[in-house]
Amino acid sequence: MTINPIKKNPSQVALSALMEESNSLPSPLLPESMIQQWNSLTPEVKAALIAYEMNAPGPSKVSSVSSFTSTTSSSDGDSEDKTETGAIVEEDKVAGTKTVLTPLERAPENVFEITKTTSQKSTEVKKTSASTVTTKTIISTTTKGWRNVFTLPISYDVNMVQNGSLLDPANLQMLEATGVHPEGYNRRYAVVDAAVEAAYGQRIRDYFTAHGIQLHTTVINGGEADKRPEAVDKLLDAMCEYKLRRREPFLAIGGGCVLDIAGLAACTYRRGVPFVRVPTTLLSIVDASVGVKNGVDYCCAPMNESFKNRVGSFYAPSSCLLDTAFIASQDNRNISNGFGEIMKLALVRSQDLFEILETHGKGLIDSKFTKCATIPDGVSQRVIDLSIQIMLEELGPNLWEYNLERCVDYGHTFSKLLEMVPGADIMHGEAVNIDGFFCCLISFLRGYVTMETVERVFKCMQSLELPTTSSHMKPDLAWQSCKDAIEHRNGAQRIPLITGIGESVVVSDITREEIDRALDLLAKFEHQKSGE
């Protein structure tokens, strides 16, 4: 909010207004001698005379200029005016409120003294045999206080690292990402996924040893079952024991669950410390590393029910370091799981990405994103680049999700409850893909896409070894997902549906009947067996 106060005082403003008005009046209004006398006066005397006339009782031609305002916006019944004193007047005609914000001298762009007046109007009509009496009542209340206005600057780099070089001591990116420290400060802190520790733990420590730095690590399990508040507590205990400094960035190395846990801990420790994301799975490279969301699943004791990502924060990393060489250590199911999020992006935003998946998706899984004779050079990097860029384009202007109609929520309506079914062996990307294909069927039933498109999507998903259905995808679960979406998305379903490959809309009118019809259609496809 920028304040541009008018520098003239009220008398000067009135003087200017009067002179402008007198210049437009017919010449016989004043005798020439009187005009000459007026012009002979000093500006200060003229201003004093005008001020006296304006404050005197009786009508005045220039009295209206004493409340100079200029409306800067007026939408949805709201308006914002700036007065000559620099105060801002906000009016909400719908709510019946008028708020005057006066900037404070020492922080004029951020802190304002506010006076808010609320007017409530009521009309009562009483009819008698003789007459009709209408009584109008206006009740006004005024409150005072202050408003703080501050825009938080958010900036973080998502860095592509040359394939396989992140843990090479000659590559200083990981060292530099942990911050500039005083000479002699020779320790660093990292939280590491248990699977990453087993595969790369010694190489990570050797990297810092080569630079004369002792690395302190906390190892946590990176499975969905471990994504709980207890994991955050464990990490906070370790940070306290290590005595992590207020501005000291720490490393979070692992899959999406570990990055989510670390981000939530970073947000709460000392009310916020920097952290560096180092994703090590395909899913976390294209999804968890890109945005600013962190969170854990939460079990509500009174309800005896678990909720996915119910507790979390919006908190940006200081930077992200992406080395696709980590993907090679994953098995095929985990790589396919990552393709669940990539498929989502292709369906809602990029026909180009979808066609790459159709042509080379299976080969990328088999080669684990390493150089392969059957995959043209640059294809694997193109998939990563497109996925990250699309996510950033969608998330960047809407990091705090003020706009809840987001195409990247495709596949994230029915999947949430699927993932939380007790005993269900469904990974996140798999659940997203099941949800995505189900929504594709709803699009077909609405006439948004043809059956040819549905079958093309189905065939591509199967080539990526992604499940397209689940034994847990029942009518009650699907309909409950729609109701939960209304709660999560502030009063409306806001469910993305595709209207073509690479195009989408958001709807809020899916019915129980549509759900049942889509489930009947889902059962007619020959699905591959999933891992559940």
Side-chain angles (χ1 to χ4, degrees), residues 12-24:
Q12 290 173 315
V13 172
L15 173 60
S16 300
L18 182 59
M19 294 305 294
E20 289 176 5
E21 184 177 12
S22 65
N23 290 335
S24 63

Side-chain angles (χ1 to χ4, degrees), residues 20 45 52 71 104 136 138 154 174 216 244 248 281 336 371 446 484 509 512 516:
E20 289 176 5
V45 174
Y52 174 82
T71 301
L104 297 189
K136 294 184 178 181
I138 301 177
I154 300 296
M174 193 156 62
H216 296 254
L244 187 73
E248 181 180 359
T281 65
S336 291
K371 192 173 181 61
R446 288 189 165 215
D484 283 4
D509 58 349
R512 178 66 184 256
D516 293 340

Side-chain angles (χ1 to χ4, degrees), residues 55-205:
N55 293 325
S60 172
K61 290 182 177 291
V62 296
S63 60
S64 61
V65 302
S66 63
S67 59
F68 264 56
T69 59
S70 58
T71 301
T72 57
S73 65
S74 59
S75 60
D76 299 326
D78 299 337
S79 66
E80 182 181 282
D81 298 339
K82 291 183 180 179
T83 70
E84 73 276 5
T85 61
I88 296 174
V89 179
E90 296 177 345
E91 288 193 66
D92 185 339
K93 296 179 182 178
V94 176
T97 61
K98 180 177 181 179
T99 306
V100 179
L101 298 89
T102 305
L104 297 189
E105 182 178 358
R106 296 186 64 178
E109 295 185 3
N110 301 96
V111 186
F112 302 83
E113 187 178 60
I114 61 173
T115 303
K116 183 176 182 179
T117 303
T118 303
S119 299
Q120 295 179 324
K121 300 179 182 180
S122 62
T123 302
E124 182 182 9
V125 179
K126 290 185 178 180
K127 292 185 178 181
T128 65
S129 57
S131 63
T132 299
V133 178
T134 301
T135 304
K136 294 184 178 181
T137 305
I138 301 177
I139 300 176
S140 295
T141 58
T142 300
T143 58
K144 294 186 177 182
W146 295 265
R147 179 180 298 180
N148 186 44
V149 179
F150 187 82
T151 301
L152 184 66
I154 300 296
S155 175
Y156 58 98
D157 292 345
V158 180
N159 303 284
M160 287 304 308
V161 178
Q162 184 177 355
N163 187 276
S165 69
L166 185 63
L167 301 182
D168 182 349
N171 183 344
L172 300 181
Q173 283 179 277
M174 193 156 62
L175 180 65
E176 292 172 346
T178 56
V180 178
H181 296 278
E183 186 175 352
Y185 190 84
N186 60 352
R187 64 178 195 154
R188 299 291 190 276
Y189 181 76
V191 52
V192 182
D193 191 310
V196 175
E197 169 65 24
Y200 297 99
Q202 191 57 52
R203 286 188 62 191
I204 293 172
R205 283 184 287 276

